[in-house]
Amino acid sequence: MKKKDLVKETAFRNMGVFFWLLLVVLALYTISMVLPMIWGIITSVKSQNEFRTNVLGIPHGAPWEWKWSNFIYVLNNFYVPISSTTAGLRAVGMGEMLLYTLLYAAGGAFINTLVPCVVAYITAKFNYKFSAVIYTVVVVTMVLPVVGNTASEMQLVKILGLYDTIPGNWIQKFNFLGMYYLVFYATFKGIPNDFAEAAYVDGAGETHVMIRIIFPLVANIFLTVMLIKFITFWNDYQTPLLFLPTHPTIAYGVYYLSNSMQQEFNNVPMRLTGCILMVIPILALFLVFKEKLMANISMGGVKE
């Protein structure tokens, strides 16, 4: 056997070993992610007494005999107590928390996707010195850790009258810093100028070109980023806890449930039931849009 062929065969064998090793690692990682979810689901349909005697096993009896009423009980009876200067002490149930979650997650996701998209378009298509400054600021803020600004941010939103309001929280989302600015920037850089030049010839202005010509070309990317942002905000409990104390979201409700001292909810099955209720809408959303999230996004271009 020639030396060149021997080297190729050795490299192939080494690649085969690496492939199987990587496959085993990924399989173990997948199992470590799936098993806790399965355990959480089967625990959520147990009673507290059964959980004490059967921590890891499947609930006794047929599936229709399991404790499915846990979900109904949490939906109907769980609430977060809040106090305000105007309404005093009141209870916010799951329905109201869902409304606040949709307003917070959907509105915040749209704004936090639109602003980086617009700024990225302007800086990518107009080669001014300030465009380079903005790009540099985004990169620098991603490299340098920014910590300890929550106290000053809260003080500022209180002075501006934006504290504890949904519209005020939307205004807080008006920023373009982060990775998705770079994603939009690279996308707009890759779009040929032929699209815009053809519109300019027909008398279109800059705003018309941006909204009617360019933005439809990146609609898939825009929707994908917005969907990722929506999932992020749906699972966020810290921001509502700090900046929306009288508008608790479902994520904040689950956080409150995990620390609740109410006797009927102070057990593992009920707490996991709340977690599963929060996950179900996101899981359904992922199943509907999984191809958009997982597939490679491609855009058409001008044929030469």
Side-chain angles (χ1 to χ4, degrees):
M1 181 180 294
K2 295 181 180 180
K3 184 177 180 180
K4 186 177 181 180
D5 294 336
L6 182 61
V7 171
K8 288 183 177 179
E9 184 178 352
T10 304
F12 179 77
R13 289 177 180 176
N14 292 336
M15 183 60 69
V17 172
F18 175 77
F19 172 79
W20 286 108
L21 180 62
L22 181 62
L23 182 63
V24 170
V25 171
L26 292 177
L28 292 176
Y29 176 75
T30 302
I31 293 173
S32 69
M33 297 292 289
V34 172
L35 283 182
M37 183 177 296
I38 296 175
W39 177 80
I41 294 174
I42 63 177
T43 303
S44 66
V45 291
K46 292 179 181 178
S47 64
Q48 175 62 7
N49 291 333
E50 183 175 7
F51 175 75
R52 291 171 180 169
T53 59
N54 182 24
V55 177
L56 299 177
I58 298 175
H60 298 300
W64 53 86
E65 297 175 344
W66 296 350
K67 197 72 173 177
W68 299 102
S69 58
N70 287 349
F71 292 91
I72 305 299
Y73 189 85
V74 172
L75 284 173
N76 292 335
N77 297 281
F78 176 68
Y79 64 89
V80 174
I82 62 171
S83 61
S84 62
T85 56
T86 56
L89 183 65
R90 69 186 187 91
V92 177
M94 291 292 287
E96 191 173 352
M97 280 189 278
L98 176 60
L99 175 61
Y100 292 147
T101 303
L102 292 175
L103 291 174
Y104 170 71
F110 177 75
I111 293 170
N112 212 219
T113 305
L114 178 64
V115 175
C117 181
V118 173
V119 176
Y121 171 78
I122 295 173
T123 54
K125 288 303 180 182
F126 299 97
N127 296 320
Y128 299 122
K129 292 183 179 180
F130 192 67
S131 298
V133 171
I134 292 177
Y135 184 88
T136 303
V137 168
V138 173
V139 174
V140 170
T141 54
M142 291 181 64
V143 175
L144 296 179
V146 180
V147 296
N149 64 337
T150 304
S152 58
E153 183 180 359
M154 181 173 294
Q155 186 67 26
L156 179 61
V157 297
K158 286 183 176 180
I159 293 173
L160 297 176
L162 306 177
Y163 181 71
D164 199 18
T165 63
I166 296 293
N169 190 262
W170 289 342
I171 294 175
Q172 288 180 253
K173 298 291 190 292
F174 273 85
N175 72 83
F176 57 87
L177 303 177
M179 179 185 68
Y180 295 113
Y181 165 86
L182 301 179
V183 171
F184 285 119
Y185 183 90
T187 303
F188 289 129
K189 277 291 187 182
I191 297 178
N193 292 327
D194 304 60
F195 293 103
E197 291 174 357
Y200 293 145
V201 171
D202 293 335
E206 295 292 351
T207 305
H208 180 88
V209 170
M210 181 179 69
I211 297 176
R212 301 294 298 274
I213 307 298
I214 304 300
F215 278 9
L217 296 176
V218 298
N220 286 340
I221 298 178
F222 186 94
L223 292 176
T224 301
V225 172
M226 182 177 171
L227 184 59
I228 295 173
K229 288 286 187 180
F230 179 84
I231 294 174
T232 301
F233 292 146
W234 181 280
N235 296 324
D236 179 24
Y237 73 90
Q238 292 180 325
T239 302
L241 175 64
L242 294 174
F243 295 98
L244 297 170
T246 62
H247 300 78
T249 61
I250 292 180
Y252 171 70
V254 171
Y255 168 76
Y256 180 84
L257 179 63
S258 66
N259 297 279
S260 176
M261 300 304 295
Q262 300 178 37
Q263 183 176 0
E264 60 272 24
F265 297 110
N266 190 18
N267 59 76
V268 175
M270 282 297 182
R271 290 174 176 175
L272 287 175
T273 300
C275 294
I276 298 301
L277 285 173
M278 188 187 77
V279 169
I280 288 175
I282 291 299
L283 181 61
L285 192 67
F286 175 79
L287 293 176
V288 172
F289 295 102
K290 62 179 180 179
E291 294 183 0
K292 184 175 291 294
L293 280 172
M294 304 302 293
N296 293 326
I297 299 172
S298 60
M299 292 192 310
V302 177
K303 295 183 178 179
E304 299 292 341

